């Protein structure tokens, strides 16, 4: 349901990618855009606190449209302020983990959010307890006209809603049902000790996640293999714990689905996004049909690297030896503006605003949060966190996060607060659409065969990692959920066997499935959020269709449809929103289309590789 009712969710130059110190502040957030000072923050804090008893006073009185409309209005005002309070503390902490003010304000707002959640917990249960006839009447009433889709969603929940006492009991049990993920996190991040390996220069390196990813790209195969085997060996020490926690998590998912009268955990997860099961089924089936193209790509890797077979530690090493020179941030900005021009002048105007008004915190600094994300509040502009390092991946990440930001900008201008969120099913469409546009632009601008080949492989890898890999993960999820629902258990040996079998199926005869690769399932935390990862694959397919239509349509209608999609927020279910953008995800056609493109890219790679010097890996 909507966030306001559930509380808070949450041209390359030879130069350095970093600006001079005099210009650094232009690449840092200005959190004063949210609150100029702590004094203003405290004023909103007190306003929210004072509103809580007023919200609680509505309990037991939700039986007419005017009363409900008054509650909704007060609840929205309160939630919007609470969202800003949380955002301010969150951003201050992420730019300096040791900021004592951020820690203090974060603790205060976290406690306030818990109080808010408790005071408003009655709203949906009370509405769901109303007779179906009353809910239909409320949905059509004039005072609640702006909430008609909300009531549509509410009515769809009703068959899966329990009695008041049962709902209270399930709410009390929820923390225990979700404890498996917490135990896994402690084992995988707290107790887990990453192994170390000795580099060719004699230096010993600890295999953190970042270091391990870098080592799998190392040109020395002996080193890649040593890193892979050390990591696989370290996983063996925690596989029994990981198997037990995953089994407990899947059991909880299936129990929850059963209690709420869903046929399976998959059905419950899909219902949460209003996604029909045929979407998931088409995704799996279409990807299976296109596995021969992935097998050909692995075979091309084998030939290019001069190997007898491709092992897991050979899947990420670059096929083009020369590395790209660092891309200065000013050049990245120019590339992004040029690459996104097909989306129209208004879109580019908002991108310029993002750069000019300091929506981005660009460069890594001591005590700053790692990684990247886009966030914001309904009453603020977006805030994008990056750790830009001048690589092509950094440029694509910047474009990706700007896609999320523009989605919020367009939505917030067009939708009321209660429809301003985005489901993952639609959110990743806006971000990956920008990546498709950038990759196409950069490929067309490339001057040398090396650059074109590198960008060609980048597109192939995007589809492999975001679609093929995520669909394989989704198949694994379906297998383990089916097994548990039918009364089976999940042991480490069984999970290893399932995982290794899928790897062999997906990567084909040129791939050598080392026993160490069987532990891959235990490093995927998303499995504790059931049937989440398939959305990355569907989003990539949807955005590919949208971008392809934009690039071939001379009338401007495709861009217009896409802008309307960006404006729609959460005002309808994601399938209908995408249909209006020209993508029918209930059909296998979008999946077939992007995987057909993958096959074309592999054909082009096959044509280009013979002109390159083949590597002989040691």
């Amino acid at each position: 349901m909507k966030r306001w009712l559930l509380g808070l969710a949450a041209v390359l130059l030879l130069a350095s990618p970093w600006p001079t110190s005099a210009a650094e502040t232009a690449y840092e957030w200005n959190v004063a855009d949210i609150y100029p000072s702590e004094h203003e923050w405290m004023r909103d804090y007190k306003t929210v606190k004072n509103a809580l008893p007023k919200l609680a006073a509505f309990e037991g009185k939700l039986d007419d449209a005017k009363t409900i409309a008054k509650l909704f209005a007060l609840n929205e005002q309160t939630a919007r302020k609470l969202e800003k309070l949380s955002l301010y503390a969150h951003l201050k902490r992420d730019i300096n983990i040791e900021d004592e003010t951020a820690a203090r304000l974060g603790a205060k707002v976290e406690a306030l959010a818990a109080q808010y959640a408790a005071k408003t917990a009655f709203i949906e249960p009370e509405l769901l307890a109303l007779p179906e006839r009353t809910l239909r009447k409320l949905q059509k009433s004039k005072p609640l006209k702006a909430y008609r889709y909300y009531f549509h969603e509410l009515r769809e929940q009703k068959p899966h809603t329990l009695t008041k006492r049962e709902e209270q009991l399930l709410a009390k049990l929820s923390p225990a049902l979700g404890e498996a993920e917490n135990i896994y996190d402690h084992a995988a991040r707290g107790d887990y000790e990453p192994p170390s390996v000795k580099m060719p220069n004699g230096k010993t390196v600890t295999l953190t996640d970042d270091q391990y990813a870098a080592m799998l790209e190392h040109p020395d195969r002996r080193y890649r293999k040593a890193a892979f085997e050390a990591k696989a060996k370290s996983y063996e020490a925690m596989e029994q714990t990981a198997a037990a926690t995953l089994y407990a998590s899947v059991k909880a998912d299936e129990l929850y689905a059963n209690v709420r009268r869903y046929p399976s955990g998959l059905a419950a997860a899909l219902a949460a996004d209003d996604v029909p099961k045929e979407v998931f089924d088409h995704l799996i089936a279409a990807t299976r049909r296109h596995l021969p193209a992935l097998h050909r790509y692995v075979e091309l890797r084998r030939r290019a690297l001069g190997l007898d077979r491709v092992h897991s530690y050979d899947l990420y090493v670059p096929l083009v030896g020369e590395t790209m020179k660092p891309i200065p941030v000013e050049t990245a900005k120019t590339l992004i503006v040029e690459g996104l021009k097909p989306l129209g002048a208004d879109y580019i105007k908002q991108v310029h605003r993002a750069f000019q008004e300091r929506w981005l915190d660009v460069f890594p600094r001591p005590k700053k949060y790692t990684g990247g994300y886009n966030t914001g509040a309904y009453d603020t502009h977006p805030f994008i966190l990056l750790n830009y390092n001048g690589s092509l991946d950094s440029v694509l990440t910047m474009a990706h996060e700007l896609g999320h930001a523009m989605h919020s900008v367009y939505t917030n201008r067009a939708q009321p607060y209660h429809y301003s969120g985005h489901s993952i099913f639609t959110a990743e469409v806006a971000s990956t659409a920008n990546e498709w546009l950038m990759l196409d632009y950069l490929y067309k601008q490339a001057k040398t065969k090396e650059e074109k080949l590198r960008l060609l492989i980048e597109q192939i890898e995007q589809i492999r990692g975001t679609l093929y890999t995520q669909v394989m993960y989704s198949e694994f999820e379906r297998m383990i959920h089916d097994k548990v629902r039918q009364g089976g258990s999940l042991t480490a040996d069984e999970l290893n066997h399932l995982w290794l079998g899928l790897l062999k199926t997906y990567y084909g005869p040129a791939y050598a499935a080392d026993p160490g690769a069987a532990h891959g399932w235990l490093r995927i935390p998303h499995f504790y959020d059931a049937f989440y990862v398939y959305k990355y694959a569907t989003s990539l397919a949807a955005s590919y269709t949208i971008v392809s239509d934009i690039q071939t349509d001379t009338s401007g209608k495709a861009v217009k449809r896409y802008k309307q999609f960006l404006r729609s927020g959460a005002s309808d279910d994601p399938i209908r929103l995408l249909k209006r953008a020209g993508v029918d995800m209930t059909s296998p056609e979008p999946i077939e289309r992007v995987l057909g493109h993958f096959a074309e890219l592999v054909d082009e790679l096959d044509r280009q590789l013979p002109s390159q010097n083949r590597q002989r890996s040691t």
Side-chain angles (χ1 to χ4, degrees):
M1 301 301 287
K2 302 301 169 272
R3 65 185 183 187
W4 65 288
L5 282 176
L6 292 180
L8 301 175
V11 210
L12 305 184
L13 304 178
L14 294 177
S16 166
W18 292 271
T20 61
S21 58
E24 281 180 359
T25 55
Y27 297 97
E28 297 177 4
W29 286 330
N30 179 17
V31 295
D33 288 348
I34 310 172
Y35 290 107
S37 70
E38 189 177 339
H39 174 76
E40 282 80 4
W41 189 93
M42 283 303 304
R43 184 174 58 195
D44 271 1
Y45 177 87
K46 291 174 183 176
T47 300
V48 171
K49 200 165 185 65
N50 292 335
L52 297 185
K54 297 175 185 177
L55 288 167
F58 281 90
E59 186 169 4
K61 301 174 183 177
L62 303 186
D63 53 6
D64 67 275
K66 287 184 178 180
T67 300
I68 295 170
K70 287 179 181 178
L71 167 63
F72 284 2
L74 177 60
N75 195 28
E76 178 179 319
Q77 294 168 16
T78 307
R80 285 168 68 168
K81 290 188 184 298
L82 186 55
E83 188 178 59
K84 280 183 65 180
L85 292 168
S86 180
L87 179 68
Y88 183 79
H90 170 74
L91 296 186
K92 282 180 70 68
R93 181 200 64 202
D94 279 1
I95 55 179
N96 182 0
I97 192 64
E98 295 181 2
D99 187 322
E100 294 182 2
T101 299
R104 176 169 49 82
L105 298 183
K108 286 178 71 71
V109 74
E110 186 176 336
L112 185 63
Q115 295 170 35
Y116 165 79
K119 295 294 184 182
T120 57
F122 71 91
I123 298 176
E124 286 194 0
E126 195 165 318
L127 290 173
L128 285 165
L130 297 172
E132 170 63 18
R133 181 180 176 181
T134 304
L135 285 175
R136 283 201 307 270
K137 186 177 178 182
L138 290 171
Q139 185 177 4
K140 296 176 182 178
S141 68
K142 189 174 181 180
L144 296 171
K145 182 179 179 180
Y147 302 93
R148 286 185 180 172
Y149 177 62
Y150 165 73
F151 276 96
H152 164 77
E153 283 191 304
L154 199 68
R155 289 173 58 200
E156 285 194 342
Q157 280 190 49
K158 196 167 177 60
H160 306 286
T161 302
L162 311 178
T163 66
K164 183 177 180 179
R165 178 170 174 75
E166 288 170 337
E167 288 287 350
Q168 289 173 338
L169 179 60
L170 191 59
K172 289 178 180 179
L173 288 173
S174 291
L177 291 175
E179 192 60 22
E181 181 177 8
N182 185 42
I183 297 169
Y184 168 81
D185 285 341
H186 280 290
R189 291 169 176 78
D191 297 337
Y192 175 72
E193 290 289 339
S196 297
V197 293
K198 187 173 287 188
M199 295 178 69
N201 62 7
K203 182 181 177 182
T204 298
V205 176
T206 301
L207 291 176
T208 61
D209 288 345
D210 288 343
Q211 283 285 4
Y212 181 57
M215 291 172 192
L216 290 183
E217 297 180 3
H218 200 282
D220 189 322
R221 195 184 191 211
R222 293 167 298 182
Y223 181 50
R224 298 197 306 269
K225 181 179 179 181
F228 172 80
E229 290 179 346
K231 196 73 168 176
K233 187 70 176 175
S234 72
Y235 285 149
E236 290 180 10
M238 60 173 288
E239 68 173 357
Q240 299 300 330
T241 299
T245 56
L246 186 55
Y247 179 39
S249 179
V250 174
K251 279 199 297 184
D253 292 336
E254 294 299 326
L255 173 63
Y256 178 86
N258 182 263
V259 167
R260 289 217 175 273
R261 297 186 284 272
Y262 288 104
S264 66
L266 173 60
L270 294 172
D273 283 324
D274 291 321
V275 172
K277 187 173 179 294
E278 62 193 298
V279 172
F280 188 89
D281 292 340
H282 285 323
L283 175 65
I284 302 291
T287 304
R288 282 272 180 162
R289 286 194 293 272
H290 285 266
L291 286 180
L294 182 57
H295 296 172
R296 286 189 58 234
Y297 174 56
V298 176
E299 169 60 19
L300 285 178
R301 275 194 155 268
R302 185 195 68 77
R303 285 166 36 200
L305 295 171
L307 306 173
D308 294 328
R309 299 280 293 282
V310 173
H311 293 252
S312 292
Y313 45 84
D314 301 316
L315 287 170
Y316 303 96
V317 62
L319 299 182
V320 184
E322 182 184 346
T323 58
M324 293 181 70
K325 297 177 176 67
I327 304 171
V329 68
E330 290 296 331
T331 303
K333 288 163 58 175
T334 301
L335 292 172
I336 288 171
V337 167
E338 292 299 316
L340 299 183
K341 277 188 175 178
L343 297 180
D346 180 65
Y347 194 97
I348 296 303
K349 180 181 178 181
Q350 299 306 318
V351 172
H352 279 302
R353 279 189 64 205
F355 290 123
Q356 293 164 359
E357 298 176 12
R358 295 168 58 186
W359 296 6
L360 297 85
D361 199 285
V362 176
F363 296 102
R365 298 189 300 277
K367 304 172 187 177
K368 178 182 171 181
Y369 185 83
T370 58
Y373 62 72
N374 169 76
T375 188
Y378 186 73
D379 296 306
T380 73
H381 61 69
F383 287 83
I384 297 171
L385 183 137
L386 301 170
N387 280 273
Y388 188 85
N389 63 9
S391 66
L392 173 62
D393 186 61
S394 280
V395 177
L396 295 175
T397 299
M398 185 182 289
H400 178 105
E401 299 302 342
L402 280 166
H404 285 306
M406 296 305 112
H407 200 178
S408 295
V409 168
Y410 277 89
T411 291
N412 291 354
R413 289 194 305 190
Q415 296 298 331
Y417 180 69
H418 52 280
Y419 294 150
S420 63
H422 306 114
S423 73
I424 296 296
F425 199 93
T426 57
E428 292 300 325
V429 173
S431 55
T432 54
N434 279 11
E435 289 192 62
W436 284 121
L437 286 166
M438 289 305 304
L439 285 167
D440 181 69
Y441 172 77
L442 292 170
Y443 185 79
K444 289 175 179 176
Q445 295 297 310
K447 306 299 183 186
T448 68
K449 288 182 178 180
E450 287 277 340
E451 289 175 0
K452 283 187 175 292
L453 184 56
R454 186 180 293 109
L455 288 160
L456 175 65
I457 295 169
E458 184 73 27
Q459 292 183 66
I460 290 172
E461 286 295 330
Q462 183 185 46
I463 300 172
R464 176 169 81 95
T466 309
L467 200 148
Y468 279 111
T469 298
Q470 303 304 325
V471 173
M472 191 194 89
Y473 290 176
S474 300
E475 279 213 65
F476 179 77
E477 282 191 279
R478 185 174 65 179
M479 288 175 177
I480 62 177
H481 277 259
D482 286 349
K483 188 173 177 60
V484 171
R485 190 174 65 259
Q486 294 162 8
S489 64
L490 299 176
T491 66
D493 286 345
E494 289 170 315
L495 293 167
N496 290 342
H497 175 74
L498 290 174
W499 190 264
L500 207 57
L502 284 170
L503 284 174
K504 292 175 182 177
T505 298
Y506 271 70
Y507 287 121
Y511 172 74
D514 298 296
H519 304 109
W521 57 269
L522 62 78
R523 61 178 178 81
I524 313 297
H526 280 324
F527 289 156
Y528 293 85
D529 189 352
F531 299 102
Y532 180 98
V533 296
Y534 85 92
K535 301 170 196 176
Y536 290 123
T538 54
S539 295
L540 190 76
S543 65
Y544 177 76
T545 294
I546 289 169
V547 169
S548 297
D549 290 349
I550 288 172
Q551 291 171 329
T552 56
D553 173 45
T554 57
S555 68
K557 291 181 180 178
V559 172
K560 187 176 180 179
R561 286 197 305 265
Y562 181 55
K563 295 279 187 66
Q564 185 54 45
F565 165 77
L566 295 179
R567 294 186 189 99
S568 298
S571 60
D572 207 337
D573 74 59
I575 299 300
R576 281 196 286 263
L577 293 179
L578 284 169
K579 277 185 179 179
R580 293 172 200 152
V583 186
D584 182 4
M585 292 308 299
T586 64
S587 159
E589 195 270 340
I591 312 298
E592 297 279 357
R593 193 167 174 178
V594 70
L595 291 177
H597 179 58
F598 179 87
E600 292 170 355
L601 293 171
V602 172
D603 288 342
E604 181 61 27
L605 179 63
D606 196 12
R607 286 190 289 269
Q608 290 195 29
L609 276 176
S611 65
Q612 303 297 314
N613 292 326
R614 298 302 174 98
Q615 304 178 43
R616 166 57 66 177
S617 208
T618 54

